[in-house]
Amino acid sequence: MPKMKTKKSAAKRFRVRAGGSIKRGQAFKRHILTKKTTKTKRQLRGSTAVHSTNVDSVKSMMPYA
């Protein structure tokens, strides 16, 4: 049987933490930042976990993670 391929776009966007949860970067922080308030941009810093409804689809894209 051939090995399953990892979706490289998903591998670049997600990391699996030691506990098994999946880490992702915040959205809406790339461009058009002038019209966003300082408070909004500050709250978008850092990373967050993938929502529980999307965990299965993300794990299927990264079979060996």
Side-chain angles (χ1 to χ4, degrees):
M1 256 336 258
K3 290 190 272 187
M4 294 175 66
K5 284 191 174 181
T6 297
K7 297 282 189 286
K8 298 310 283 183
S9 60
K12 293 169 190 174
R13 287 168 171 81
F14 304 110
R15 295 284 179 265
V16 178
R17 291 176 172 149
S21 64
I22 301 173
K23 183 172 77 168
R24 68 169 177 87
Q26 287 278 13
F28 304 106
K29 190 72 195 303
R30 293 292 179 186
H31 60 101
I32 317 176
L33 296 172
T34 52
K35 63 175 72 170
K36 293 179 179 129
T37 63
T38 308
K39 179 183 178 181
T40 303
K41 291 183 277 192
R42 183 175 65 246
Q43 289 175 345
L44 289 173
R45 283 181 198 155
S47 58
T48 184
V50 172
H51 195 265
S52 59
T53 56
N54 298 320
V55 167
D56 291 336
S57 63
V58 173
K59 282 189 175 179
S60 69
M61 290 187 273
M62 301 191 304
Y64 299 106

